[in-house]
Amino acid sequence: MDPDAYLARIGASRPERADARALRDLHLRHLDAVPFENLSVHLGEPIELDEPRLYDKIVRRGRGGFCYELNGAFAWLLTELGFEVALLSARVFTPDGEPGPPFDHLTLRVDLDEPWLADVGFGRFARFPLRLDAVGPQRDPEGEFLVLDTPDGDLEVRHDGRPVYLVETRPRRLRDFAPTCWWQATSPDSHFTRSLTCSLPTPQGRITLSGDRLIETCGDEREERTLTSDEEILDVYRISFGMRLDRVPALRQVPGRP
């Protein structure tokens, strides 16, 4: 496992020091280079929360992943570069405003002169790290973010006024997330088994491939079209996401789903 190879994967240089400026640059470059995707769920590939396997998938194979993989691997890289990193469990809010279960999401606290929230594994989220101790809104290219203390001692993160997730402040180990990761990848009730997604930000907006649907946004404009052949789909994975796949992922049939 070579941190310089990881840096090359995201188009970054080794920082001179582990500071807020370096964290900001690494965070942005990771988001721009490594797709948020759940293709392993539908390709029948095991998802193992083990740093060498995550490194192999993201760096050697040029793939992406979902939160446990992306933030788990990014935590390893930051640690190798001299940052102090803690893995935190977060509960993602459902559409009806209720927080999900513990370990629903993995995010990162990076301790510098002040603590920062770093998250390269949530899909559309802050492009830059967020100050955990900041009072008041924080502006970001993706909108306005707010970090609030809760009566239970957790931190609530809001995006444009909408609650996104609750963050526990107790540090965790990567293997602590394994049971929920397995549930996310196998349960008929998990949204990761119900849909295919591969997504990256672009200078103008975002590009997402969901099965055979290619969705591109540019500001407030949204264009969607259906790809008509496996060859066309594989070309989009290769050209737009930098991933060479042997076959087109197909929505997995999960036992127990109606």
Side-chain angles (χ1 to χ4, degrees):
M1 295 169 65
D2 179 6
D4 289 316
Y6 201 135
L7 291 169
R9 166 76 171 93
I10 63 174
S13 301
R14 183 181 281 264
E16 294 181 1
R17 59 184 63 86
D19 58 15
R21 181 177 179 179
L23 176 63
R24 179 183 172 96
D25 180 66
L26 293 166
H27 194 275
L28 180 62
R29 289 179 181 273
H30 202 288
L31 286 171
D32 286 343
V34 184
F36 178 86
E37 50 106 334
N38 68 335
L39 305 185
S40 289
V41 173
H42 304 282
L43 289 169
E45 300 172 347
I47 299 174
E48 299 177 88
L49 298 189
D50 172 84
E51 288 171 345
R53 288 177 173 84
L54 298 182
Y55 175 92
D56 179 72
K57 182 178 182 180
I58 292 171
V59 178
R60 295 195 181 101
R61 296 166 53 200
R63 288 281 301 279
F66 54 13
C67 70
Y68 310 108
E69 301 170 284
L70 299 179
N71 283 326
F74 190 47
W76 174 85
L77 174 64
L78 292 176
T79 301
E80 289 293 307
L81 296 175
F83 291 89
E84 184 178 341
V85 185
L87 279 61
L88 303 180
S89 167
R91 303 168 65 192
V92 180
F93 281 96
T94 62
D96 60 4
E98 293 297 321
F103 302 101
D104 197 25
H105 179 62
L106 188 163
T107 191
L108 306 175
R109 188 186 74 230
V110 183
D111 290 309
L112 299 168
D113 292 339
E114 59 180 313
W116 294 80
L117 180 75
D119 195 335
V120 298
F122 198 73
R124 184 173 179 262
F125 191 64
R127 301 296 302 278
F128 299 115
L130 300 173
R131 287 181 166 90
L132 282 175
D133 288 347
V135 176
Q138 301 180 57
R139 295 296 304 172
D140 183 87
E142 289 290 350
E144 185 178 273
F145 291 83
L146 187 64
V147 181
L148 299 171
D149 293 322
T150 71
D152 295 330
D154 296 333
L155 298 171
E156 180 180 311
V157 180
R158 296 183 180 180
H159 180 194
D160 290 337
R162 179 180 62 86
V164 179
Y165 54 60
L166 283 174
V167 184
E168 297 180 356
T169 57
R170 172 187 171 185
R172 301 287 185 170
R173 298 165 298 181
L174 186 58
R175 64 175 178 266
D176 293 338
F177 295 85
T180 310
C181 178
W182 176 84
W183 183 91
Q184 297 280 22
T186 60
S187 171
D189 297 322
S190 166
H191 64 272
F192 288 112
T193 65
R194 292 175 176 269
S195 63
L196 277 159
T197 190
C198 184
S199 185
L200 270 178
T202 67
Q204 298 78 28
R206 180 167 288 274
I207 182 170
T208 300
L209 182 57
S210 181
D212 61 359
R213 291 186 301 116
L214 180 63
I215 304 162
E216 297 181 82
T217 59
C218 181
D220 294 330
E221 300 291 325
R222 185 179 190 273
E223 180 181 344
E224 179 176 335
R225 64 186 178 96
T226 300
L227 307 181
T228 58
S229 70
D230 286 0
E231 181 180 18
E232 192 176 11
I233 294 171
L234 291 174
D235 280 346
V236 170
Y237 280 123
R238 178 176 54 83
I239 296 169
S240 298
F241 300 103
M243 301 193 308
R244 296 182 178 273
L245 301 180
D246 296 330
R247 59 186 174 90
V248 173
L251 197 64
R252 176 183 175 186
Q253 297 302 310
V254 178
R257 178 176 296 154

